[in-house]
C-alpha cells in the first residue's frame, strides 16, 4: 500500500507538462431557505439534497438545492514553496472575495481566523 501514490502522480504529471481539471459546482441556499429546512445546513456531517440525484427515501427536501456549475479548477503547476503556495493558499477561508461573507458554520469560522 502506498498512501502517497496520488500525490506523486499529480506532481510528476504536472512536472512533465500535464495538468488536471475538475468541474467546480456549488449549492446555494438563501438565509430564508436555511431557516425553513428540516436539517442544520451548517452541520458538516449533512449533505444537502441535490436536484440531479434520485430522492433518497429519508430526504426531507429532495432536489431542493441542485448543483450549479460555476467553472473549472485546473492544477497546472507545482508549488515552488510548499508552505507559501499550499499551506497559505487562496483556498483558505480567511481569503474571501469582497462581497462574500462567511456562513455561521462554526468549523468554517474557526478555520477562517487561525
Amino acid at each position: 500500500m502506498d498512501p502517497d501514490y496520488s500525490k506523486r502522480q499529480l506532481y510528476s504529471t504536472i512536472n512533465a507538462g500535464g495538468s488536471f481539471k475538475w468541474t467546480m459546482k456549488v449549492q446555494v441556499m438563501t438565509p430564508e431557505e436555511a431557516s425553513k429546512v428540516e436539517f442544520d445546513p451548517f452541520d458538516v456531517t449533512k449533505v444537502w439534497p441535490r436536484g440531479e440525484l434520485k430522492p433518497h427515501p429519508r430526504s426531507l427536501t429532495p432536489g431542493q438545492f441542485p448543483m450549479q456549475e460555476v467553472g473549472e479548477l485546473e492544477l497546472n503547476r507545482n508549488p515552488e514553496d510548499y508552505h507559501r503556495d499550499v499551506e497559505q493558499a487562496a483556498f483558505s477561508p480567511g481569503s474571501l472575495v469582497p462581497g462574500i461573507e462567511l456562513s455561521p458554520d462554526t468549523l468554517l469560522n474557526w478555520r477562517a481566523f487561525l
Side-chain angles (χ1 to χ4, degrees), residues 24-85:
M24 188 169 117
K25 297 181 179 183
V26 298
Q27 286 178 281
V28 179
M29 181 185 296
T30 66
E32 293 77 26
E33 289 172 322
S35 67
K36 294 177 183 174
V37 293
E38 297 181 23
F39 60 94
D40 179 3
F42 304 109
D43 181 346
V44 296
T45 65
K46 301 291 185 259
V47 176
W48 293 6
R50 300 177 186 174
E52 67 269 26
L53 297 178
K54 293 180 181 176
H56 189 276
R58 288 179 274 165
S59 176
L60 301 173
T61 52
Q64 188 174 355
F65 308 106
M67 300 294 283
Q68 299 176 34
E69 188 172 327
V70 294
E72 221 173 46
L73 176 66
E74 180 177 7
L75 298 180
N76 57 16
R77 68 181 173 96
N78 287 316
E80 296 171 14
D81 177 330
Y82 190 84
H83 180 71
R84 181 194 70 213
D85 298 341

